[in-house]
Amino acid sequence: MSTTKGYLDMELLRFTTAGSVDDGKSTLIGRLLYDSKSIFEDQLEAVEAASKRSGNEEVNLALLTDGLRAEREQGITIDVAYRYFATPKRKFIIADTPGHIQYTRNMVTGASTADLAIILVDARHGVVEQTVRHSYIASLLGIPHIVVCVNKMDLVDFSKDVFDKICDDYNKMLEPLEIGKVKFIPISAKYGDNVVGKSERITWYDGPTLMEVLENTPIEHKINSQEVRMPVQYVIRPISDKFPDFRGYAGRMAGGILKTGDEVHILPSGLKSRVKTLSQAEKELDEVFTPDWITIQLEDDIDISRGDMIVGAQGIMPLISREITMTVCWFNENPMRLNGRYLIKQATNETLGVVKTIHYKHNINTLAREYDMQELQMNDIATITIKTANPLVIDSYKHNRTTGSLVFIDQHTFETVGVGMIVGGE
C-alpha cells in the first residue's frame, strides 16, 4: 500500500518534444523509455522484430513511439503520441509532436499543457526554419522551461565547436521571442550519450543529462497561490434528509489555494461571500489546491450557475469583457473568416462570438507579421479580436492557462475548429 501511495503522490512533469523531420524525436523518446527501463519485454521483442523486418542491424528505438502505420512506413511523426513513464523521483507524460508545418495544430494541441519543451536540433544542420517555428510555438504557449538537445553529436565527432556555434545561433534567434532561460545539452539519442547516463565521449560537457534535467526541473508554476480561480461546473442541491439545505458549487480549481473562511467574489455578478465549507465527496477539508476538484459551500445564499467563476479577494482580479483579443491557432479546413460566428467555450462558460478583427497573421517561420488578412487557413496563427454575446471572466494566458484560453466550436458540426490564447479584453 505504501508503495502505491508513494507513486500516486509523486510529482508529474508534462513535457513535449519538437524538432525537424529526422532530428530524432522518436528515437530520443525511445531511448528515454529504454534506458529508464520503462518498457515491457514483449514491447522490446516486437520492436526488435520490426527493426529486423525493416533491414535495421540495430534496434530502432523510434518504433517504440511511432504508433501509426503511416509513421512507421514514412519514418516521420504525424499525430501527437503520448507516452507515460516514471523514475523513482517523478512521473512523466511525453507528447511527441510532429515537425511538419502542416501539423502545426497538432503541436499546439500536444504542447498546450506542457511544463517543459525539448527542442531537438540536428548537430549537422544547426538552427533551421523549423527550430524557429517550434521555439515560437513554445513561447506562444508560455512553456516555462526549454531544453535544446543538440542531437546526433556522434555524426560531427562530438565537436565542442559545433555545439557552441549552435548555442550561439539559437540564443541570437531568441531575441524577438519571450522565452526565459534555456538549457543546452549535447546528446546522441541513438547511442544514449547524455540522455539518461553521462556520456564518456563528450568529456568537455560537464552539465546535467537530459534525465537529470527532467527529474529536477521545478514545476511550482502550476500553483499560483495568490489568485484563486474556480470556474463553477455544477450546482449541487441534493434532495435528502441528510443534506436538507445544502447548496454547493462544484468545479476544478484553476488557480490558487482556497481555505475555509476566505472571502471570495462571484463573477460576473460581483457579489461577495465567504467560504463556509470545502469538500471532496463527503470529506470536508480546511484548504484545497490547484488543480483539485472541489465543492464549495458559501455563507450566503447567492444565485450562482454553471459558467460563473469564484475568485479570491486577494491578488489580481480577472477581467470581465465581451471584446477579447487573443492569439488564435486555426485547426479546421474551413477557414476562419472576418465576421464569422462561432460557439466560444472558455473554462465552463459557453457563449456565441463573432470575429470582429483580424489584426495580423504571424509568419511562424520568419516571425514577421502579415496584415490585411480577411481569413485564416488551417494551421495559421494570428492575433484577432472577438466580440461575445455574453461577458466572459478572463485572465491573460500568460497569467493563467485555464482562464486565459478558449476554443472555437462550429455551430453546425460542433467540431473544435480553433483555440485562442487570450492577450486581454476591453
Side-chain angles (χ1 to χ4, degrees), residues 81-297:
Y82 292 95
R83 294 293 180 268
Y84 309 83
F85 75 103
T87 68
K89 288 188 176 181
R90 186 175 269 179
K91 295 183 294 185
F92 303 93
I93 297 179
I94 316 167
D96 182 18
T97 59
H100 288 72
I101 189 169
Q102 63 264 40
Y103 303 118
T104 297
R105 58 178 182 165
N106 302 63
M107 181 181 175
V108 170
T109 301
S112 60
T113 59
D115 309 303
L116 178 147
I118 297 173
I119 296 178
L120 266 75
V121 176
D122 190 319
R124 299 168 300 173
H125 305 143
V127 174
V128 295
E129 188 176 84
Q130 289 94 326
T131 312
V132 178
R133 181 167 74 249
H134 298 145
S135 300
Y136 172 74
I137 293 174
S139 169
L140 174 70
L141 294 172
I143 300 176
H145 302 284
I146 306 294
V147 180
V148 176
C149 287
V150 181
N151 193 23
K152 304 189 180 182
M153 289 296 296
D154 52 297
L155 299 181
V156 294
D157 297 324
F158 302 100
S159 169
K160 183 177 185 299
D161 291 339
V162 170
F163 177 74
D164 288 343
K165 184 179 186 308
I166 291 173
C167 295
D168 290 341
D169 290 345
Y170 190 89
N171 281 323
K172 291 175 184 175
M173 180 270 293
L174 280 185
E175 292 177 3
L177 301 179
E178 295 183 10
I179 293 181
K181 191 174 181 181
V182 178
K183 288 185 173 68
F184 297 91
I185 306 176
I187 68 168
S188 171
K190 184 175 181 179
Y191 298 107
D193 294 84
N194 285 337
V195 178
V196 173
K198 283 278 190 182
S199 172
E200 296 179 357
R201 300 185 289 182
I202 311 178
T203 55
W204 45 263
Y205 174 74
D206 59 0
T209 66
L210 176 59
M211 181 60 81
E212 288 172 337
V213 171
L214 294 177
E215 287 186 327
N216 295 292
T217 294
I219 52 177
E220 290 86 356
H221 66 278
K222 284 188 169 183
I223 299 179
N224 182 342
S225 61
Q226 295 300 314
E227 280 82 44
V228 170
R229 304 285 188 266
M230 206 289 280
V232 176
Q233 184 166 352
Y234 190 69
V235 179
I236 298 177
R237 298 196 66 185
I239 308 299
S240 68
D241 294 335
K242 188 175 180 180
F243 303 101
D245 301 313
F246 185 91
R247 184 183 180 94
Y249 310 102
R252 188 174 191 177
M253 292 286 290
I257 300 171
L258 191 60
K259 302 177 182 179
T260 54
D262 281 355
E263 182 182 352
V264 292
H265 295 199
I266 292 82
L267 301 179
S269 69
L271 297 173
K272 301 178 183 178
S273 186
R274 288 189 178 275
V275 177
K276 182 178 180 181
T277 65
L278 296 167
S279 59
Q280 292 176 336
E282 295 185 14
K283 179 183 178 182
E284 289 199 9
L285 304 170
D286 292 327
E287 60 182 1
V288 291
F289 304 85
T290 302
D292 289 347
W293 290 93
I294 60 162
T295 299
I296 301 174
Q297 190 178 18

Side-chain angles (χ1 to χ4, degrees), residues 410-425:
D410 187 284
Q411 295 184 73
H412 307 292
T413 65
F414 295 101
E415 291 179 276
T416 298
V417 292
V419 295
M421 284 68 74
I422 295 171
V423 176

